[in-house]
Amino acid sequence: MTLSPWIMAARPRTLSLSLTPVVVGAALAWAVEREVHWQAVAAALVASMLIQLATNLHNDAADSERGGDGADRIGPPRATASGLLSATGVKRVAIACFALAAMIGLYLALVGGWPILLLGIFSILSGWAYTGGPVPIAYTPLGELFVVGFFGLGAVCGIYWLCTGTISAVAIETGLAIGLLTSAVLLVNNYRDAEADARVGRRTLAIMAGPGLTAWIYAGLMLFPFALLRPIADALPRGFVWPALLALPITIGMIYYFAREPRGRGFNRVLVRTVLTQLLFGMLLSVGLVL
């Protein structure tokens, strides 16, 4: 059995989207409370990446079954739609990843109590509901909001809670900053695929907003995290946020790139670079927080 189709379905190049909020949440806990529960952080990192893997795999299979990812797709090819893997097999592996994440979640619930248990349950259910069920989240304008909630607020605040046993305004602000950058990645993906998505009945934010407004939304998602650095800095008893500002020139360049690049295969580069921008912002912020 070749691994290439499974790598294609898992989309490992996007896994930094689930890694970044875990690292930032732990760094923030250290900056504010000087507390980090290393075992819980490591377990949460594995669990979050498993949930993202499961979501990616389920998305690959479910979109194919709904008639998406066809010949007119301009993004990277999908394993199920290309006939390289069966939808049933991909879904089984997705369920296995969800199950492994749930098992790790039981340990995290012992550490963090019922708030972490609820967060874990909702994360797994939302990962399935993203492209599953009668009204998949990915087929509505709510996908970006879903990403802000789970890849930003939920992940950062969840790690902060595991380490400190509390939630603070600065954790919420930091989670929002990371979530907005992560949702920009989804917006790029949906903007690139708008024509093919509309054909199969999707009504994503990019489709509903149209090209002009989508470019402005992308700019807002990319820039607002930098505006949040001031209130984050004001709440810190120690640590710095200024290293994250080093990502600002790249971010401005990405906004210009988004506005100028014709919608097509060139947007695959915009997608990858937006992923890297989220990673860069998060890692630079984490470095400042632990200084």
Side-chain angles (χ1 to χ4, degrees):
M1 180 184 68
T2 178
L3 290 177
S4 297
W6 290 102
I7 294 173
M8 184 189 301
R11 308 170 208 172
R13 287 192 298 179
T14 66
L15 289 181
S16 63
L17 299 178
S18 56
L19 178 150
T20 301
V22 174
V23 174
V24 171
L28 182 66
W30 174 255
V32 176
E33 300 288 347
R34 278 295 190 263
E35 293 183 27
V36 178
H37 194 307
W38 294 109
Q39 294 92 334
V41 170
L45 177 61
V46 175
S48 64
M49 294 179 75
L50 281 169
I51 292 174
Q52 187 182 350
L53 277 173
T55 303
N56 289 346
L57 290 167
H58 189 266
N59 173 258
D60 194 287
D63 274 351
S64 177
E65 291 178 332
R66 291 177 180 271
D69 298 338
D72 59 344
R73 176 179 172 79
I74 58 177
R78 296 293 182 233
T80 309
S82 300
L84 299 173
L85 298 172
S86 70
T88 301
V90 173
K91 283 186 175 181
R92 284 174 180 169
V93 176
I95 291 172
C97 289
F98 279 134
L100 286 173
M103 292 173 63
I104 297 173
L106 292 177
Y107 161 71
L108 294 174
L110 290 175
V111 175
W114 65 265
I116 296 300
L117 178 62
L118 288 180
L119 177 61
I121 291 172
F122 280 122
S123 296
I124 291 174
L125 288 177
S126 296
W128 171 82
Y130 184 70
T131 48
V135 186
I137 298 170
Y139 284 65
T140 73
L142 302 177
E144 284 76 11
L145 186 61
F146 157 86
V147 168
V148 172
F150 286 96
F151 283 82
L153 292 169
V156 172
C157 292
I159 293 297
Y160 189 86
W161 175 274
L162 282 169
C163 293
T164 68
T166 62
I167 288 295
S168 63
V170 69
I172 295 172
E173 292 160 353
T174 305
L176 181 59
I178 298 300
L180 289 171
L181 286 167
T182 310
S183 69
V185 176
L186 179 61
L187 186 70
V188 174
N189 183 81
N190 288 341
Y191 179 71
R192 179 200 63 198
D193 297 338
E195 293 182 6
D197 286 347
R199 177 180 56 80
V200 296
R202 282 192 175 190
R203 291 295 179 265
T204 63
L205 179 61
I207 293 173
M208 302 299 289
L213 183 55
T214 298
W216 283 104
I217 295 173
Y218 178 79
L221 293 174
M222 295 290 280
L223 289 176
F224 193 68
F226 292 92
L228 288 169
L229 291 176
R230 178 59 186 270
I232 293 171
D234 290 343
L236 291 177
R238 60 185 72 85
F240 306 92
V241 300
W242 65 261
L245 291 172
L246 296 175
L248 183 57
I250 295 174
T251 301
I252 294 173
M254 286 304 307
I255 293 169
Y256 178 80
Y257 192 7
F258 184 103
R260 299 283 294 183
E261 181 70 26
R263 185 160 56 193
R265 296 192 184 278
F267 253 78
N268 292 327
R269 292 189 296 273
V270 180
L271 180 66
V272 171
R273 292 173 186 177
T274 304
V275 172
L276 294 176
T277 301
Q278 184 257 19
L279 176 63
L280 178 64
F281 177 93
M283 294 304 104
L284 289 172
L285 178 59
S286 298
V287 168
L289 290 172
V290 301
L291 283 175

